């Protein structure tokens, strides 16, 4: 199947509850152009430098999502165009995003990345840390970021029950937060749950994902 057919099939599978982010890391610009020419405009990259390089070469109506671990000193390179940052895992990073977004007269949508996997290698906040961040005075003062939801990556395992449990836990935390949304400042508008990749997006959508991040199932393995 072609790239366009893969995208169409996945979009049909996840509709109407979730939207697809095509993850293009390590893939050449020609592949993005092929998808773009088929009408697809929502892309995710995990490295700032690679995303900036592709942004510069491609049409400007593309919606860019930064999905990978982010260092504060890289925020400035993408603050003028990035639509959503999925990997916010500290107050310090959020403060830098707010500062750079302000310089560009923008409001950048951010997701808090929650640690949900049973693995040591994945980044993210605990539920307690996320709650602390949402309740902090520092967040209240930030006028150029909006906390739009949560992101999580399940364990890299064949065990579907384990993966499902991890997604369920993220969804439950999302609902718990939404039930106490009056405690949070007005720049917290929780509506997105970014979960699900090539191997587990179908389970993620069943468990309440609104944004799936799919790479290899569209563009082939890396
Ligand atoms: C690479 C990546 C994906 C997509 O992975 P695939 O298995 O190729 O679909 C999703 N999310 C993040 C954070 C990634 O780094």
């Amino acid at each position: 199947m072609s790239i366009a057919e893969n995208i169409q099939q996945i979009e049909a599978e996840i509709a109407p509850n979730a939207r697809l982010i095509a993850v293009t890391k390590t893939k050449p610009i020609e592949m993005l152009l092929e998808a773009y020419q088929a009408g697809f405009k929502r892309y995710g990259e995990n490295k700032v430098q690679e995303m900036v390089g592709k942004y510069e070469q491609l049409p400007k109506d593309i919606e860019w999502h930064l999905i990978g671990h982010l260092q504060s000193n890289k925020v400035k390179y993408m603050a003028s165009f990035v639509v959503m940052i999925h990997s916010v895992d500290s107050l310090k990073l959020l403060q830098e995003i707010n500062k750079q977004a302000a310089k560009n007269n923008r409001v950048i949508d951010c997701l808090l990345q929650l640690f949900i996997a049973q693995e040591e290698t994945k980044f993210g906040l605990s539920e307690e840390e996320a709650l602390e961040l949402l309740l902090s005075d520092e967040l209240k003062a930030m006028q150029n970021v909006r906390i739009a939801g949560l992101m999580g990556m399940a364990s890299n395992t064949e065990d579907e029950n384990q993966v499902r449990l991890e997604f369920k836990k993220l969804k439950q935390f999302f609902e718990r937060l939404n039930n106490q949304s009056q405690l949070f400042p007005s720049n917290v508008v929780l509506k997105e749950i970014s979960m699900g990749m090539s191997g587990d997006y179908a389970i993620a959508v069943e468990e309440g994902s609104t944004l799936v991040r799919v790479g290899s199932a569209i563009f082939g393995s890396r």
Side-chain angles (χ1 to χ4, degrees), residues 23 25 46 67-68 151 153 196-199 213-217 222:
V23 176
K25 63 187 185 204
N46 70 336
I67 61 173
M151 184 271 234
M153 290 170 82
M197 315 186 357
S198 290
R213 311 176 308 271
V214 178
S216 47
R222 288 179 295 273

Side-chain angles (χ1 to χ4, degrees), residues 31-41 43 59-62:
M31 283 190 166
L32 280 87
L33 261 182
E34 193 178 328
Y36 180 82
Q37 277 153 8
F40 191 80
K41 297 187 180 169
Y43 298 90
K60 296 298 172 280
D61 62 343
I62 284 178

Side-chain angles (χ1 to χ4, degrees), residues 7-25:
I7 286 175
Q8 267 172 21
Q9 190 194 311
I10 295 169
E11 285 198 308
E13 264 179 87
I14 66 175
N17 297 320
R19 295 168 348 264
L20 172 64
I21 296 169
V23 176
T24 46
K25 63 187 185 204

Side-chain angles (χ1 to χ4, degrees), residues 18 27 30 65 103 134 153 174 176 187 193 212 217 219:
K27 297 297 179 186
E30 292 73 30
H65 292 247
K103 281 191 188 169
L134 289 169
M153 290 170 82
F174 177 86
R176 214 179 95 206
N187 56 0
I193 309 181
V212 300
F219 300 103

Side-chain angles (χ1 to χ4, degrees), residues 10 12 33 56 99 104 111 131 138 159 174 189-191:
I10 295 169
L33 261 182
E56 285 170 353
K99 179 176 149 193
N104 287 278
L111 306 181
L131 198 54
E138 288 91 340
D159 183 350
F174 177 86
V189 185
L190 301 173
K191 51 188 202 298

